[in-house]
Amino acid sequence: MAAVKKSLVVEALRRSQMTELLAKGKRLDGRGPLDYRPIRIETGVISKASGSARVIIGNTEVIAGVKVETGTPFPDTPDQGLLVVNAEVLPLASPYAEPGPPDEDAIELARVVDRGIRESQMIDVSKLVIKEGEKVYAVFVDVSVLNVDGNLFDTTSYAVVSALLTAKYKRHEIVDGKLKQLEDTEPLPLKTIPTSVTMAKIGDTVVVDPTDEEEAVMDARLTITTDSNGNICAGQKGNAGTFSFEQMQSAADISRMKGEENRKVIREVTGFAN
Amino acid sequence: MTALINEQGLRHDGRRIEDLRPIKIEVGILKNANGSAYIEFGKNKIIAAVYGPKEVHPKHMALPDRAVLRCRYHMSPFSTDTRKNPAPSRREIEISKVVREALEPAIMINDYPRTAIDVFLEVLQSDGGSRCAGINAASVALADAGINMRDLVSACAAGKVGGQVVLDLDDTEDKEGQADVPVAIMPNFDQVTLFQLDGILTQEEFKKAFGFALGGCRKLYQLQKEALMKKYFGHGEPIVEENE
């Protein structure tokens, strides 16, 4: 999935260069450890979708589309609408991406982003019921990664959130036992903006928003999502490295601070007040 | 349904907030595997098996400087309330990945270049916290296989149930509760090798839950050592370490 081909020699060289720079508080592209690359968000890019957004962080680019359809609720949650998040790294996104069913990286990506949306209770699924136990709204969010340059987790997460925040769906009601689509549209019942912050540990330093080059040499990755109140609602450590207990605690603080900064960017673009 | 936490501060199964469920670990239960372990963690029943280091197939997957660690977490169709489709779900694929990444830091992977080490986790019965239970068993099975390791990996979850931070959620608490935080550590290095979180926690609750989980991991570490002692030295006396 990476855009940088893994090579033992190049990795070792690049890693020593990076750790030397990080010791001075610098990164290869001139950023400090806690700086994000510029974030660009554009909404309403696909008019056929109920909601859509294109998000660009550095050279990473993804597009997310929301489709709201009707469906049958799960038997154990008859009073809740459905949410399905799916992500795909398109073969055009990097020289090393290949077509085919989503691999474990793409599945993890979709599930971590889904967790942030679901667990923050961003969508009030109890309001997405047409008839309890029979018909509910199903919110499908599909993400296509268009260009890979690190930090797919945050880029995808911000795209999904921005698409949901600007989505409008057609109401349905049941008339004489039949489902009927109404003409008026309305925004989804949303409560909060979950914002993920992804960190990479390289040597002993933790940096935010890793590039692809940094991800190729990092020891471990950590994504923590906070809601608009600064509460933690999702987390995931990735890669075969470790974090110390102190690094875990400071990561929680970093995620709240950087999450609030990035939430402002999302608020500005989408006009969502909460 | 009984309350998740009653007036006496007891949970629906009678545990206090910082109690683990009853745990039993048995080492070397499969004849064919190079290493194996069986864990009962509350109602969870999980078998872990390790095959390897062995030749890598397909050959092009082999790495010149280290072993390839592969991991499969799988739930038996009869392990859940309603039958689980035996095909690997997205959830199982994700758990296989995070379990592999939780175990790998503890394995001296560079000691076995051009080989594969396969770890299989079969959940025969699941009751919440099966990934943590599975990691505990897998790490003991790796030791049983004689694979060089820096440390064991010990895992335990904490979470929030009925408004309170608690240790080791079972299935009911996981479903009805507010948050679940599975954690795995290398106990002798104080390093976190697995961390996941779902549900809402304030920063203070997060710190508390994380602390609870670390405490649970340390208890699991003792049980893992006892289980290995029992197989290899015939008794389960805890090892007293000088640095503890």
Side-chain angles (χ1 to χ4, degrees), chain A residues 247-259:
Chain A
Q247 281 168 336
M248 292 296 300
Q249 301 287 7
S250 78
D253 297 334
I254 292 169
S255 76
R256 185 165 52 164
M257 180 184 77
K258 300 310 286 186

Side-chain angles (χ1 to χ4, degrees), chain B residues 27-228:
Chain B
V27 184
I29 46 116
L30 295 177
K31 285 274 180 299
N32 281 349
N34 299 101
S36 61
Y38 170 72
I39 187 165
E40 283 185 14
F41 202 117
K43 286 188 204 127
N44 286 299
K45 292 177 196 284
I46 302 170
I47 292 181
V50 172
Y51 282 87
K54 60 178 197 182
E55 224 176 304
V56 190
H57 291 290
K59 276 214 162 91
H60 66 84
M61 299 232 334
L63 298 173
D65 64 327
R66 38 168 285 179
V68 190
L69 181 65
R70 297 184 293 204
C71 189
R72 180 181 123 120
Y73 164 99
H74 184 252
M75 291 173 85
S76 300
F78 47 76
S79 64
T80 46
D81 291 333
T82 48
R83 179 175 182 271
K84 192 211 148 275
N85 185 324
S89 65
R90 287 163 68 87
R91 174 181 171 277
E92 285 167 293
I93 292 170
E94 188 206 339
I95 293 181
S96 299
K97 181 176 191 287
V98 297
V99 167
R100 185 186 76 224
E101 293 169 343
L103 296 170
E104 192 171 325
I107 301 171
M108 311 274 230
I109 203 108
N110 297 99
D111 287 359
Y112 309 102
R114 284 179 283 273
T115 67
I117 300 171
D118 284 334
V119 177
F120 299 103
L121 285 174
E122 187 67 27
V123 181
L124 302 176
Q125 180 164 282
S126 83
D127 183 37
S130 66
R131 79 196 64 184
C132 289
I135 287 170
N136 291 315
S139 138
V140 167
L142 281 162
D144 182 42
I147 288 167
N148 296 353
M149 291 169 83
R150 297 182 176 83
D151 201 348
L152 286 173
V153 179
S154 310
C156 189
K160 188 179 169 190
V161 171
Q164 285 201 53
V165 174
V166 303
L167 183 66
D168 181 26
L169 284 68
D170 68 12
D171 199 33
T172 310
E173 293 178 318
D174 188 20
K175 286 206 177 89
E176 310 280 328
Q178 288 95 50
D180 183 25
V181 189
V183 175
I185 63 167
M186 291 198 286
N188 291 296
F189 291 86
D190 285 352
Q191 292 286 320
V192 176
T193 71
L194 172 127
F195 170 79
Q196 294 184 289
L197 186 155
D198 59 75
I200 301 178
L201 292 174
T202 64
Q203 298 274 337
E204 291 67 39
E205 286 167 342
F206 166 73
K207 290 201 162 81
K208 192 172 177 193
F210 187 63
F212 270 25
L214 295 182
C217 291
R218 300 225 182 269
K219 285 182 194 152
L220 257 304
Y221 179 55
Q222 293 305 326
L223 296 173
Q224 289 172 302
K225 278 198 297 189
E226 280 168 31
L228 283 165

Side-chain angles (χ1 to χ4, degrees), chain A residues 4 51 58 63 80 82 111 113 141 168 193 207 210 212 236 268:
Chain A
V4 179
I63 191 161
Q80 290 181 12
L82 307 172
R111 286 180 59 85
V113 171
V141 193
K168 293 219 160 57
I193 306 181
V207 302
D212 204 55
Q236 177 101 340
E268 255 168 50

Side-chain angles (χ1 to χ4, degrees), chain A residues 144-218:
Chain A
S144 293
V145 176
L146 303 179
N147 201 67
V148 175
D149 189 14
N151 200 4
L152 294 185
F153 283 81
D154 292 349
T155 318
T156 302
S157 169
Y158 299 170
V160 171
V161 165
S162 303
L164 286 169
L165 288 170
T166 51
K168 293 219 160 57
Y169 69 107
K170 285 211 164 106
R171 302 281 310 168
H172 286 72
E173 61 180 24
I174 291 180
V175 183
D176 303 329
K178 276 194 186 138
L179 198 62
K180 190 182 153 211
Q181 193 182 72
L182 307 178
E183 271 316 296
D184 59 320
T185 61
E186 62 176 84
L188 289 165
L190 303 176
K191 297 196 284 195
T192 186
I193 306 181
T195 312
S196 73
V197 171
T198 296
M199 293 154 268
K201 188 177 103 167
I202 304 168
D204 284 323
T205 317
V206 173
V207 302
V208 301
D209 182 28
T211 62
D212 204 55
E213 269 185 329
E214 289 171 327
E215 286 183 355
V217 306
M218 70 183 170

